[in-house]
Amino acid sequence: MARKESPVKTNAARILDAAGIHYELREYTVDEDDLSAPRVAAKIGMPPEQVFKTLVLRGDRSGVLIACIPANAELDLKALAAASGNKKVELVAVKEVLGLTGYIRGGVSPVGTRKPYPCYLEETADLWDVISVSAGARGRQLILAPDDLARVVEARRCAIAKE
């Protein structure tokens, strides 16, 4: 009988292990032509409202920050600017993402970025027992409690998404 291999641990998963946080590591087949969060949600069998994409932004006052919003939502830049003490925030260029976070587009996790950037978690995460975020590699997602995610990245919960 063949033994099923367990998913390869990412740096984000190792950080959660070290913090004693319970999570599930779920793998899926990556479609390089469609890295969208709703597509990831479908591949891992979760509703898009429960799968959170990680966006990297720069505020005019705070510098780099992270926002985690549901896969099917759009970031409200004005709401994030207000929540983060900025007048204006904008997404960083894709070419900057790896250098800033250590992760590639489509695999950015709020856990284990190169520097501990401020993290803003859409408050709807609290509607779920568990949510999904990138494990820090394309094709791998972390399933964990929103409280545990907020604790490990010291995320502030706020209304930063619009549908």
Coordinates of all heavy atoms in Angstrom, one line a residue, residues 35-136:
L35 N -3.9 32.9 -11.4 CA -3.5 32.9 -10.0 C -4.5 33.6 -9.1 O -4.2 33.9 -8.0 CB -2.1 33.6 -9.9 CG -0.9 33.0 -10.7 CD1 0.3 33.9 -10.6 CD2 -0.6 31.6 -10.2
S36 N -5.6 33.9 -9.6 CA -6.6 34.6 -8.8 C -7.1 33.9 -7.6 O -7.1 32.7 -7.5 CB -7.9 34.9 -9.7 OG -8.6 33.7 -9.9
A37 N -7.4 34.7 -6.6 CA -7.8 34.1 -5.3 C -9.1 33.3 -5.4 O -9.3 32.3 -4.8 CB -7.9 35.2 -4.2
P38 N -10.1 33.8 -6.2 CA -11.3 32.9 -6.4 C -11.0 31.6 -7.0 O -11.6 30.6 -6.6 CB -12.2 33.8 -7.3 CG -11.8 35.2 -7.0 CD -10.3 35.1 -6.8
R39 N -10.0 31.5 -7.9 CA -9.6 30.2 -8.5 C -9.0 29.3 -7.4 O -9.3 28.1 -7.3 CB -8.7 30.5 -9.6 CG -8.2 29.3 -10.3 CD -9.2 28.8 -11.3 NE -8.7 27.7 -12.1 CZ -9.4 26.7 -12.5 NH1 -10.7 26.7 -12.3 NH2 -8.8 25.8 -13.2
V40 N -8.2 29.9 -6.5 CA -7.6 29.1 -5.4 C -8.7 28.6 -4.5 O -8.6 27.4 -4.1 CB -6.6 30.0 -4.6 CG1 -6.1 29.3 -3.4 CG2 -5.4 30.4 -5.5
A41 N -9.6 29.4 -4.2 CA -10.8 29.0 -3.3 C -11.4 27.8 -3.9 O -11.7 26.8 -3.2 CB -11.7 30.2 -3.1
A42 N -11.7 27.8 -5.2 CA -12.4 26.7 -5.9 C -11.5 25.4 -5.8 O -12.0 24.4 -5.5 CB -12.7 27.1 -7.3
K43 N -10.2 25.6 -6.0 CA -9.3 24.5 -6.0 C -9.2 23.8 -4.6 O -9.0 22.6 -4.5 CB -8.0 24.9 -6.6 CG -8.0 25.1 -8.0 CD -6.6 25.3 -8.6 CE -6.6 25.3 -10.1 NZ -5.8 24.4 -10.7
I44 N -9.3 24.6 -3.6 CA -9.2 24.0 -2.2 C -10.5 23.7 -1.6 O -10.6 23.3 -0.5 CB -8.3 24.9 -1.3 CG1 -9.0 26.2 -1.0 CG2 -6.9 25.0 -1.8 CD1 -8.3 27.0 0.1
G45 N -11.6 23.9 -2.3 CA -12.9 23.6 -1.9 C -13.5 24.4 -0.7 O -14.2 24.0 0.1
M46 N -13.2 25.7 -0.8 CA -13.7 26.7 0.2 C -14.4 27.8 -0.5 O -14.0 28.2 -1.6 CB -12.6 27.2 1.1 CG -11.9 26.1 2.0 SD -10.5 26.8 3.0 CE -11.4 27.7 4.2
P47 N -15.4 28.4 0.2 CA -16.0 29.6 -0.5 C -15.0 30.8 -0.5 O -14.2 30.9 0.4 CB -17.2 29.9 0.4 CG -16.9 29.2 1.7 CD -16.0 28.1 1.4
P48 N -15.1 31.6 -1.6 CA -14.2 32.7 -1.7 C -14.2 33.7 -0.5 O -13.2 34.3 -0.2 CB -14.6 33.4 -3.0 CG -15.8 32.7 -3.5 CD -16.1 31.5 -2.7
E49 N -15.3 33.7 0.2 CA -15.4 34.6 1.3 C -14.5 34.2 2.5 O -14.3 34.9 3.4 CB -16.9 34.7 1.8 CG -17.9 35.2 0.8 CD -18.4 34.1 -0.1 OE1 -18.2 32.9 0.1 OE2 -19.1 34.5 -1.1
Q50 N -14.1 32.9 2.4 CA -13.4 32.3 3.5 C -11.9 32.2 3.2 O -11.1 31.9 4.0 CB -13.9 30.9 3.8 CG -13.5 30.3 5.1 CD -14.3 29.0 5.4 OE1 -15.1 28.5 4.6 NE2 -14.0 28.4 6.5
V51 N -11.5 32.5 1.9 CA -10.1 32.5 1.5 C -9.7 33.9 1.3 O -10.3 34.7 0.6 CB -10.0 31.7 0.1 CG1 -8.6 31.8 -0.4 CG2 -10.5 30.3 0.3
F52 N -8.6 34.2 2.0 CA -8.1 35.6 2.1 C -6.8 35.8 1.2 O -5.9 35.0 1.4 CB -7.9 36.0 3.5 CG -9.2 36.4 4.2 CD1 -10.1 35.4 4.5 CD2 -9.5 37.6 4.6 CE1 -11.3 35.7 5.1 CE2 -10.7 38.0 5.2 CZ -11.6 37.0 5.5
K53 N -6.9 36.8 0.3 CA -5.7 37.1 -0.4 C -4.9 38.1 0.3 O -5.4 38.9 1.1 CB -6.1 37.6 -1.8 CG -7.0 38.8 -1.9 CD -7.5 39.0 -3.3 CE -8.6 40.1 -3.3 NZ -9.2 40.2 -4.7
T54 N -3.6 38.1 0.1 CA -2.6 39.0 0.8 C -2.1 40.0 -0.2 O -1.5 39.6 -1.3 CB -1.5 38.2 1.3 OG1 -2.0 37.1 2.2 CG2 -0.5 39.1 2.1
L55 N -2.3 41.2 0.1 CA -1.9 42.3 -0.8 C -0.8 43.1 -0.1 O -0.9 43.4 1.1 CB -3.1 43.2 -1.2 CG -4.3 42.5 -1.8 CD1 -5.5 43.5 -1.9 CD2 -4.0 42.0 -3.1
V56 N 0.1 43.6 -0.9 CA 1.3 44.4 -0.4 C 1.1 45.8 -0.9 O 1.0 46.0 -2.1 CB 2.6 43.8 -0.9 CG1 3.8 44.5 -0.2 CG2 2.7 42.3 -0.5
L57 N 1.1 46.7 0.0 CA 0.9 48.1 -0.3 C 1.9 49.0 0.3 O 2.7 48.6 1.2 CB -0.5 48.6 0.2 CG -1.7 47.8 -0.4 CD1 -2.2 46.7 0.6 CD2 -2.8 48.7 -0.8
R58 N 1.9 50.3 -0.1 CA 2.8 51.3 0.5 C 1.9 52.5 0.9 O 1.1 53.0 0.0 CB 3.9 51.7 -0.5 CG 4.9 52.6 0.1 CD 6.1 52.9 -0.8 NE 7.0 51.8 -0.7 CZ 7.3 51.0 -1.8 NH1 6.7 51.1 -2.9 NH2 8.1 50.0 -1.6
G59 N 2.0 52.9 2.1 CA 1.3 54.1 2.6 C 2.2 55.3 2.5 O 3.4 55.2 2.6
D60 N 1.7 56.5 2.3 CA 2.5 57.7 2.2 C 3.1 58.1 3.5 O 4.1 58.8 3.5 CB 1.6 58.9 1.6 CG 0.5 59.3 2.5 OD1 0.0 58.4 3.3 OD2 0.0 60.4 2.3
R61 N 2.6 57.6 4.6 CA 3.2 57.9 5.9 C 3.8 56.6 6.5 O 4.9 56.8 7.2 CB 2.1 58.4 6.8 CG 1.6 59.8 6.4 CD 0.6 60.3 7.4 NE 0.1 61.6 6.9 CZ -1.0 62.2 7.3 NH1 -1.9 61.5 8.0 NH2 -1.3 63.4 6.9
S62 N 3.2 55.5 6.4 CA 3.7 54.3 7.1 C 4.7 53.5 6.4 O 5.3 52.6 7.0 CB 2.5 53.4 7.5 OG 1.9 52.9 6.3
G63 N 4.7 53.6 5.1 CA 5.6 52.7 4.3 C 4.8 51.5 4.0 O 3.6 51.5 3.9
V64 N 5.5 50.4 3.8 CA 4.9 49.1 3.4 C 4.0 48.5 4.5 O 4.3 48.6 5.7 CB 6.0 48.1 3.1 CG1 5.5 46.7 2.7 CG2 6.9 48.6 2.0
L65 N 2.9 48.0 4.0 CA 1.9 47.3 4.8 C 1.2 46.2 4.1 O 1.3 46.1 2.8 CB 0.9 48.3 5.4 CG 0.1 49.1 4.4 CD1 -1.4 49.1 4.8 CD2 0.6 50.6 4.5
I66 N 0.6 45.3 4.8 CA -0.1 44.1 4.2 C -1.6 44.2 4.5 O -2.0 44.6 5.6 CB 0.5 42.8 4.9 CG1 2.0 42.7 4.8 CG2 -0.3 41.6 4.5 CD1 2.5 42.3 3.4
A67 N -2.4 43.8 3.5 CA -3.8 43.7 3.7 C -4.3 42.3 3.3 O -3.8 41.8 2.3 CB -4.5 44.8 2.9
C68 N -5.1 41.7 4.1 CA -5.7 40.4 3.8 C -7.2 40.6 3.7 O -7.9 41.0 4.7 CB -5.4 39.4 5.0 SG -3.7 39.0 5.1
I69 N -7.7 40.3 2.5 CA -9.1 40.5 2.3 C -9.7 39.2 1.6 O -8.9 38.5 1.0 CB -9.4 41.8 1.4 CG1 -8.8 41.6 0.0 CG2 -9.0 43.0 2.1 CD1 -9.2 42.7 -1.0
P70 N -11.0 39.0 1.6 CA -11.6 37.9 1.0 C -11.3 37.8 -0.5 O -11.2 38.8 -1.2 CB -13.1 38.0 1.2 CG -13.2 38.9 2.5 CD -12.0 39.8 2.4
A71 N -11.2 36.6 -1.0 CA -10.9 36.4 -2.4 C -11.8 37.1 -3.4 O -11.4 37.5 -4.4 CB -10.9 34.9 -2.7
N72 N -13.1 37.2 -3.0 CA -14.1 37.8 -3.9 C -14.3 39.3 -3.7 O -15.2 39.8 -4.2 CB -15.4 37.0 -3.8 CG -16.0 37.1 -2.4 OD1 -15.3 37.5 -1.4 ND2 -17.3 36.9 -2.3
A73 N -13.5 39.9 -2.9 CA -13.6 41.3 -2.5 C -12.5 42.1 -3.2 O -11.5 41.6 -3.6 CB -13.6 41.5 -1.0
E74 N -12.8 43.4 -3.2 CA -11.9 44.4 -3.7 C -11.4 45.2 -2.5 O -12.2 45.5 -1.6 CB -12.6 45.3 -4.7 CG -11.7 46.1 -5.6 CD -12.5 46.9 -6.6 OE1 -13.3 46.3 -7.3 OE2 -12.2 48.1 -6.7
L75 N -10.2 45.6 -2.5 CA -9.6 46.4 -1.4 C -10.2 47.8 -1.5 O -10.2 48.4 -2.6 CB -8.1 46.4 -1.4 CG -7.4 47.2 -0.3 CD1 -7.7 46.6 1.0 CD2 -5.9 47.2 -0.6
D76 N -10.6 48.4 -0.4 CA -11.1 49.8 -0.3 C -9.8 50.6 0.1 O -9.5 50.6 1.3 CB -12.2 49.9 0.7 CG -12.8 51.3 0.8 OD1 -12.0 52.3 0.5 OD2 -14.0 51.4 1.1
L77 N -9.2 51.2 -0.8 CA -7.9 51.9 -0.5 C -8.1 53.0 0.5 O -7.3 53.3 1.3 CB -7.3 52.4 -1.8 CG -6.8 51.4 -2.8 CD1 -6.4 52.0 -4.1 CD2 -5.7 50.6 -2.2
K78 N -9.2 53.7 0.4 CA -9.5 54.8 1.3 C -9.7 54.3 2.7 O -9.2 54.9 3.7 CB -10.7 55.7 0.8 CG -10.5 56.5 -0.4 CD -11.7 57.3 -0.8 CE -11.3 58.2 -2.0 NZ -12.4 59.0 -2.4
A79 N -10.4 53.2 2.9 CA -10.6 52.6 4.2 C -9.3 52.1 4.8 O -9.1 52.3 6.0 CB -11.7 51.5 4.1
L80 N -8.5 51.5 4.0 CA -7.2 51.1 4.5 C -6.3 52.2 4.8 O -5.6 52.2 5.9 CB -6.5 50.2 3.5 CG -5.1 49.6 3.9 CD1 -5.2 48.8 5.2 CD2 -4.5 48.8 2.8
A81 N -6.3 53.3 4.0 CA -5.5 54.5 4.3 C -5.9 55.0 5.7 O -5.1 55.3 6.6 CB -5.7 55.5 3.2
A82 N -7.2 55.2 5.9 CA -7.7 55.7 7.2 C -7.4 54.8 8.3 O -6.9 55.2 9.4 CB -9.2 55.9 7.1
A83 N -7.5 53.5 8.2 CA -7.2 52.5 9.2 C -5.7 52.5 9.6 O -5.4 52.2 10.7 CB -7.7 51.1 8.8
S84 N -4.9 52.8 8.6 CA -3.4 52.7 8.8 C -2.8 54.0 9.1 O -1.5 54.1 9.2 CB -2.8 52.0 7.6 OG -3.0 52.8 6.4
G85 N -3.6 55.1 9.2 CA -3.0 56.4 9.5 C -2.3 57.1 8.3 O -1.4 57.9 8.5
N86 N -2.7 56.7 7.1 CA -2.1 57.2 5.9 C -3.2 58.1 5.2 O -4.4 58.0 5.4 CB -1.7 56.1 4.9 CG -0.5 55.4 5.4 OD1 0.6 55.9 5.3 ND2 -0.7 54.2 5.8
K87 N -2.7 59.1 4.4 CA -3.6 59.8 3.6 C -3.9 59.0 2.3 O -5.0 59.1 1.8 CB -3.0 61.2 3.1 CG -3.1 62.3 4.2 CD -2.6 63.6 3.5 CE -2.9 64.7 4.5 NZ -2.5 66.0 3.9
K88 N -2.9 58.3 1.9 CA -3.1 57.5 0.6 C -2.3 56.2 0.7 O -1.2 56.2 1.3 CB -2.5 58.4 -0.5 CG -2.6 57.8 -1.9 CD -2.1 58.8 -2.9 CE -1.2 58.1 -3.9 NZ -0.7 59.0 -4.9
V89 N -2.8 55.1 0.2 CA -2.1 53.8 0.1 C -2.2 53.4 -1.4 O -3.2 53.7 -2.0 CB -2.6 52.7 1.0 CG1 -2.3 53.1 2.5 CG2 -4.0 52.4 0.8
E90 N -1.2 52.7 -1.9 CA -1.3 52.1 -3.2 C -0.6 50.8 -3.2 O 0.4 50.6 -2.5 CB -0.8 53.1 -4.3 CG 0.7 53.5 -4.0 CD 1.1 54.6 -5.0 OE1 0.3 55.2 -5.7 OE2 2.3 54.8 -5.1
L91 N -1.0 49.9 -4.1 CA -0.4 48.6 -4.3 C 1.0 48.8 -4.7 O 1.3 49.7 -5.6 CB -1.1 47.8 -5.3 CG -2.5 47.2 -4.8 CD1 -3.3 46.7 -6.0 CD2 -2.3 46.1 -3.8
V92 N 2.0 48.0 -4.2 CA 3.3 48.1 -4.7 C 3.4 47.4 -6.1 O 2.5 46.5 -6.4 CB 4.4 47.5 -3.8 CG1 4.3 48.1 -2.4 CG2 4.2 46.0 -3.6
A93 N 4.4 47.7 -6.9 CA 4.5 47.1 -8.2 C 4.9 45.6 -8.0 O 5.6 45.3 -7.0 CB 5.7 47.8 -9.0
V94 N 4.4 44.8 -8.9 CA 4.6 43.3 -8.8 C 6.1 43.0 -8.7 O 6.5 42.2 -7.9 CB 4.0 42.6 -10.0 CG1 4.4 41.1 -10.0 CG2 2.5 42.7 -9.9
K95 N 7.0 43.8 -9.4 CA 8.4 43.6 -9.4 C 9.0 43.8 -8.0 O 10.1 43.4 -7.7 CB 9.1 44.4 -10.5 CG 9.0 45.9 -10.3 CD 9.7 46.6 -11.4 CE 9.6 48.1 -11.1 NZ 10.1 48.9 -12.2
E96 N 8.3 44.6 -7.1 CA 8.8 44.8 -5.8 C 8.4 43.8 -4.7 O 9.0 43.7 -3.7 CB 8.3 46.2 -5.3 CG 8.8 47.4 -6.0 CD 8.3 48.7 -5.3 OE1 8.8 49.0 -4.2 OE2 7.3 49.2 -5.9
V97 N 7.4 43.0 -5.0 CA 6.8 42.1 -4.0 C 7.8 41.1 -3.5 O 7.9 40.9 -2.3 CB 5.6 41.3 -4.6 CG1 5.1 40.2 -3.7 CG2 4.5 42.3 -4.9
L98 N 8.6 40.4 -4.3 CA 9.6 39.5 -3.8 C 10.6 40.1 -2.9 O 10.9 39.6 -1.8 CB 10.3 38.8 -5.0 CG 11.4 37.8 -4.7 CD1 10.8 36.6 -3.8 CD2 12.0 37.2 -5.9
G99 N 11.2 41.2 -3.3 CA 12.2 41.9 -2.5 C 11.7 42.4 -1.2 O 12.4 42.3 -0.2
L100 N 10.4 42.8 -1.2 CA 9.9 43.3 0.1 C 9.4 42.2 1.0 O 9.6 42.3 2.3 CB 8.6 44.2 -0.2 CG 8.9 45.5 -0.8 CD1 7.6 46.2 -1.3 CD2 9.7 46.4 0.1
T101 N 8.8 41.1 0.5 CA 8.2 40.1 1.3 C 9.0 38.8 1.4 O 8.8 38.0 2.3 CB 6.8 39.7 0.8 OG1 6.9 39.1 -0.5 CG2 5.9 41.0 0.8
G102 N 9.8 38.5 0.3 CA 10.4 37.2 0.2 C 9.5 36.2 -0.5 O 9.9 35.0 -0.6
Y103 N 8.4 36.6 -0.9 CA 7.4 35.8 -1.6 C 7.1 36.3 -3.0 O 7.2 37.5 -3.2 CB 6.1 35.7 -0.8 CG 6.2 35.2 0.6 CD1 5.8 35.9 1.7 CD2 6.7 33.9 0.8 CE1 5.8 35.4 3.0 CE2 6.7 33.4 2.1 CZ 6.3 34.1 3.2 OH 6.4 33.6 4.4
I104 N 6.8 35.3 -3.9 CA 6.4 35.7 -5.3 C 4.9 36.0 -5.4 O 4.1 35.5 -4.5 CB 6.8 34.7 -6.3 CG1 6.1 33.3 -6.0 CG2 8.3 34.5 -6.3 CD1 6.3 32.3 -7.1
R105 N 4.5 36.7 -6.4 CA 3.1 37.0 -6.6 C 2.4 35.7 -6.7 O 2.8 34.7 -7.4 CB 2.9 37.8 -7.9 CG 1.5 38.0 -8.3 CD 1.4 38.8 -9.6 NE 0.0 38.8 -10.0 CZ -0.6 37.9 -10.8 NH1 0.1 36.9 -11.3 NH2 -1.9 38.1 -11.1
G106 N 1.2 35.6 -6.1 CA 0.4 34.4 -6.1 C 0.8 33.4 -4.9 O 0.3 32.4 -4.8
G107 N 1.8 33.8 -4.2 CA 2.3 33.0 -3.0 C 2.7 33.9 -1.8 O 3.4 33.4 -1.0
V108 N 2.1 35.1 -1.8 CA 2.5 36.0 -0.6 C 1.6 35.6 0.6 O 0.4 35.6 0.5 CB 2.2 37.5 -1.0 CG1 2.5 38.4 0.2 CG2 3.1 37.9 -2.2
S109 N 2.3 35.3 1.7 CA 1.7 35.0 2.9 C 1.8 36.2 3.9 O 2.8 36.8 3.8 CB 2.3 33.7 3.6 OG 1.7 33.5 4.8
P110 N 0.8 36.4 4.7 CA 1.0 37.4 5.7 C 1.9 37.0 6.8 O 2.4 37.8 7.6 CB -0.4 37.7 6.3 CG -1.1 36.4 6.0 CD -0.5 35.8 4.8
V111 N 2.2 35.7 6.9 CA 3.1 35.1 7.9 C 4.5 34.9 7.3 O 4.7 34.3 6.3 CB 2.6 33.7 8.3 CG1 3.5 33.1 9.4 CG2 1.2 33.8 8.8
G112 N 5.5 35.5 8.0 CA 6.9 35.2 7.6 C 7.4 36.1 6.6 O 8.4 35.7 5.9
T113 N 6.9 37.3 6.4 CA 7.5 38.3 5.5 C 8.9 38.7 5.9 O 9.2 38.5 7.1 CB 6.6 39.5 5.3 OG1 6.4 40.1 6.6 CG2 5.3 39.2 4.7
R114 N 9.7 39.2 5.0 CA 11.1 39.5 5.3 C 11.2 40.5 6.5 O 12.1 40.4 7.3 CB 11.8 40.2 4.1 CG 12.1 39.2 3.1 CD 13.3 39.7 2.2 NE 13.8 38.6 1.5 CZ 14.0 38.6 0.2 NH1 13.9 39.7 -0.5 NH2 14.5 37.5 -0.4
K115 N 10.3 41.4 6.6 CA 10.2 42.3 7.7 C 8.8 42.2 8.3 O 7.9 41.9 7.5 CB 10.4 43.8 7.3 CG 11.8 44.0 6.8 CD 12.0 45.5 6.4 CE 13.4 45.8 5.9 NZ 13.6 47.1 5.5
P116 N 8.6 42.5 9.6 CA 7.3 42.4 10.1 C 6.4 43.7 9.8 O 6.3 44.6 10.6 CB 7.5 42.3 11.6 CG 8.8 43.0 11.8 CD 9.6 42.8 10.6
Y117 N 5.8 43.7 8.6 CA 5.0 44.8 8.2 C 3.7 44.8 8.9 O 3.2 43.8 9.3 CB 4.8 44.7 6.7 CG 6.0 44.8 5.8 CD1 6.4 43.7 5.1 CD2 6.8 45.9 5.8 CE1 7.5 43.7 4.3 CE2 8.0 45.9 5.1 CZ 8.3 44.8 4.3 OH 9.5 44.9 3.5
P118 N 3.1 46.0 9.1 CA 1.8 46.1 9.7 C 0.8 45.3 8.8 O 0.9 45.4 7.6 CB 1.5 47.6 9.7 CG 2.8 48.3 9.6 CD 3.7 47.4 8.8
C119 N -0.1 44.6 9.5 CA -1.0 43.8 8.7 C -2.4 44.2 9.1 O -2.8 44.3 10.3 CB -0.8 42.3 9.1 SG -1.9 41.2 8.1
Y120 N -3.3 44.3 8.1 CA -4.7 44.7 8.3 C -5.5 43.6 7.8 O -5.5 43.2 6.6 CB -5.0 46.0 7.7 CG -4.2 47.1 8.3 CD1 -2.9 47.4 7.9 CD2 -4.7 47.8 9.4 CE1 -2.1 48.3 8.6 CE2 -4.0 48.8 10.0 CZ -2.7 49.0 9.6 OH -1.9 50.0 10.3
L121 N -6.3 42.9 8.6 CA -7.2 41.8 8.3 C -8.6 42.3 8.2 O -9.1 42.8 9.2 CB -7.0 40.7 9.3 CG -7.8 39.4 9.2 CD1 -7.5 38.7 7.9 CD2 -7.6 38.5 10.5
E122 N -9.3 42.0 7.0 CA -10.7 42.4 6.9 C -11.5 41.7 8.0 O -11.4 40.5 8.3 CB -11.2 41.9 5.5 CG -12.6 41.9 5.3 CD -13.3 43.3 5.5 OE1 -12.8 44.3 5.2 OE2 -14.4 43.3 6.1
E123 N -12.3 42.5 8.7 CA -13.0 42.1 9.8 C -14.0 40.9 9.6 O -14.4 40.2 10.5 CB -13.7 43.2 10.5 CG -14.8 43.8 9.6 CD -15.4 45.1 10.2 OE1 -14.9 45.7 11.2 OE2 -16.4 45.6 9.7
T124 N -14.4 40.7 8.3 CA -15.2 39.5 8.0 C -14.6 38.2 8.3 O -15.2 37.2 8.4 CB -15.8 39.6 6.6 OG1 -14.6 39.6 5.7 CG2 -16.6 40.8 6.3
A125 N -13.3 38.2 8.5 CA -12.6 37.0 8.9 C -13.2 36.4 10.2 O -13.2 35.1 10.3 CB -11.1 37.2 9.1
D126 N -13.7 37.2 11.0 CA -14.2 36.8 12.3 C -15.6 36.0 12.1 O -16.1 35.4 13.1 CB -14.4 38.0 13.2 CG -13.1 38.5 13.7 OD1 -12.1 37.8 13.8 OD2 -13.0 39.7 14.1
L127 N -16.1 36.0 10.9 CA -17.4 35.3 10.7 C -17.1 33.8 10.6 O -18.0 33.0 10.6 CB -18.1 35.8 9.4 CG -18.5 37.3 9.4 CD1 -19.0 37.6 8.0 CD2 -19.5 37.5 10.5
W128 N -15.8 33.4 10.4 CA -15.5 32.0 10.2 C -14.7 31.4 11.3 O -13.9 32.1 12.0 CB -14.6 32.0 8.9 CG -15.3 32.6 7.7 CD1 -15.1 33.8 7.2 CD2 -16.2 32.0 6.9 NE1 -15.9 34.1 6.1 CE2 -16.6 32.9 5.9 CE3 -16.8 30.7 6.8 CZ2 -17.5 32.7 4.9 CZ3 -17.8 30.5 5.8 CH2 -18.1 31.4 4.9
D129 N -14.9 30.1 11.5 CA -14.0 29.4 12.5 C -12.6 29.3 12.0 O -11.7 29.4 12.8 CB -14.6 28.0 12.7 CG -15.9 28.0 13.5 OD1 -16.2 29.0 14.2 OD2 -16.7 27.0 13.3
V130 N -12.5 29.1 10.7 CA -11.1 29.0 10.1 C -11.2 29.8 8.7 O -12.3 29.9 8.1 CB -10.6 27.6 9.8 CG1 -10.4 26.8 11.1 CG2 -11.6 26.8 8.9
I131 N -10.1 30.3 8.3 CA -9.9 31.0 7.0 C -8.7 30.4 6.4 O -7.9 29.7 7.0 CB -9.8 32.5 7.2 CG1 -8.5 32.9 8.0 CG2 -11.0 33.1 7.7 CD1 -8.2 34.4 8.0
S132 N -8.5 30.7 5.1 CA -7.3 30.3 4.4 C -6.5 31.5 3.9 O -7.1 32.5 3.5 CB -7.8 29.5 3.2 OG -6.7 29.1 2.3
V133 N -5.2 31.4 4.0 CA -4.3 32.4 3.5 C -3.1 31.6 2.8 O -2.9 30.4 3.1 CB -3.7 33.3 4.6 CG1 -4.8 34.2 5.2 CG2 -2.9 32.6 5.6
S134 N -2.4 32.2 2.0 CA -1.3 31.6 1.3 C -0.3 31.1 2.4 O 0.0 31.8 3.4 CB -0.6 32.6 0.4 OG 0.6 31.9 -0.2
A135 N 0.3 29.9 2.1 CA 1.3 29.4 3.0 C 2.7 29.9 2.6 O 3.7 29.4 3.2 CB 1.3 27.8 2.9
G136 N 2.8 30.8 1.6 CA 4.1 31.3 1.2 C 4.7 30.7 0.0 O 5.8 30.8 -0.3

